Amino acid sequence: MGTKSIESENVVRGRRINFLGYCFTKDNVRMRKNMKKNFARKVKRIKSRKRNREIRASYWGWCKWGDCKNLWRTITNNDMSFADKGIKQSGRTKDGKKFFDVKETRLMDILNAPITVVDFETNVKTKQGEGRYCVLFEQNGQRSKFITNCYNLKDVLDQAREAENNGQKIFPVENVIVKRRSLGDGKSAYYFEE
């Protein structure tokens, strides 16, 4: 009988396996008791801020790969992430514009299909130029965005924003259909179906 079968048999029976500084059970991975004690002792004993930071960094590696969030918080009086401290991403770019963290879809791919326009951001700078609008929409339960410089679409969106600023609830707008009109010479204009 190999060592693997003995180890897996021990886990099935509920016994812990000590390996690489952790105690493994069927449900979780915990740090060994001696390592926990050493960690707590070192953090409490060392007064140098630089050395304390180094020790925390080394034990952070152990804590993050095991189920040790509570241990980390207890010993260091510190949360493991920004989210645990109540700090979340603002959803804005460095120039203060809204950032929609969803996949981008080409406008051609959503023509003649109903979408729900959720929100938009004006004057977005892209590789193609400035002054474009980024529109967040939902289709079949999936959120996505498209970027446009079409005057017709931008005009309708501006009117909707102005109405919202005057106290009228506009967004989200459901069952919006984007249409395309050919202008000749390979150019086209897009518009919202009325």
Side-chain angles (χ1 to χ4, degrees), residues 18-23 30-36:
N18 258 333
F19 185 65
L20 293 177
Y22 295 105
C23 292
R30 301 291 170 111
M31 198 184 295
R32 280 185 187 157
K33 187 175 181 179
N34 282 342
M35 288 187 66
K36 290 181 206 177

Side-chain angles (χ1 to χ4, degrees), residues 107-153:
L107 199 50
M108 294 292 295
D109 295 338
I110 59 169
L111 288 179
N112 304 319
I115 62 171
T116 300
V117 177
V118 179
D119 199 3
F120 72 97
E121 182 59 55
T122 61
N123 297 323
V124 175
K125 183 178 178 181
T126 65
K127 292 179 201 172
Q128 289 77 25
E130 296 181 14
R132 290 161 174 12
Y133 283 22
C134 182
V135 181
L136 177 67
F137 69 93
E138 193 171 300
Q139 185 178 38
N140 302 326
Q142 296 288 328
R143 285 194 170 194
S144 191
K145 65 184 174 187
F146 68 84
I147 297 176
T148 184
N149 197 30
C150 179
Y151 174 76
N152 299 329
L153 298 179

Side-chain angles (χ1 to χ4, degrees), residues 16-187:
R16 289 181 285 166
I17 296 174
N18 258 333
F19 185 65
L20 293 177
Y22 295 105
C23 292
F24 294 89
T25 62
K26 187 170 82 173
D27 299 328
N28 60 34
V29 179
R30 301 291 170 111
M31 198 184 295
R32 280 185 187 157
K33 187 175 181 179
N34 282 342
M35 288 187 66
K36 290 181 206 177
K37 284 181 177 180
N38 288 338
F39 178 28
R41 227 179 273 128
K42 286 180 181 179
V43 166
K44 189 175 182 181
R45 184 181 70 219
I46 296 175
K47 302 298 179 205
S48 165
R49 191 180 306 164
K50 181 181 176 187
R51 182 65 183 143
N52 204 334
R53 189 173 45 225
E54 291 170 353
I55 287 174
R56 284 182 184 211
S58 67
Y59 279 100
W60 165 243
W62 287 99
C63 288
K64 88 174 180 183
W65 295 111
D67 299 325
C68 305
K69 274 189 176 183
N70 194 38
L71 173 70
W72 178 263
R73 286 186 190 128
T74 303
I75 293 176
T76 63
N77 296 324
N78 187 4
D79 295 332
M80 292 172 88
S81 68
F82 285 113
D84 288 341
K85 293 179 182 243
I87 300 170
K88 295 190 170 61
Q89 291 183 7
S90 68
R92 298 202 174 267
T93 60
K94 63 183 175 185
D95 56 351
K97 301 281 184 194
K98 290 180 194 168
F99 177 71
F100 304 124
D101 194 13
V102 293
K103 78 173 183 134
E104 187 176 337
T105 303
R106 294 181 326 147
L107 199 50
M108 294 292 295
D109 295 338
I110 59 169
L111 288 179
N112 304 319
I115 62 171
T116 300
V117 177
V118 179
D119 199 3
F120 72 97
E121 182 59 55
T122 61
N123 297 323
V124 175
K125 183 178 178 181
T126 65
K127 292 179 201 172
Q128 289 77 25
E130 296 181 14
R132 290 161 174 12
Y133 283 22
C134 182
V135 181
L136 177 67
F137 69 93
E138 193 171 300
Q139 185 178 38
N140 302 326
Q142 296 288 328
R143 285 194 170 194
S144 191
K145 65 184 174 187
F146 68 84
I147 297 176
T148 184
N149 197 30
C150 179
Y151 174 76
N152 299 329
L153 298 179
K154 289 166 56 172
D155 182 45
V156 170
L157 292 169
D158 284 337
Q159 290 177 43
R161 180 71 74 203
E162 189 174 318
E164 271 211 341
N165 290 341
N166 292 333
Q168 187 178 357
K169 174 81 171 115
I170 301 290
F171 293 102
V173 182
E174 296 179 352
N175 295 320
V176 174
I177 296 179
V178 179
K179 295 280 191 177
R180 177 178 176 227
R181 182 182 309 127
S182 178
L183 300 176
D185 294 332
K187 296 181 180 178

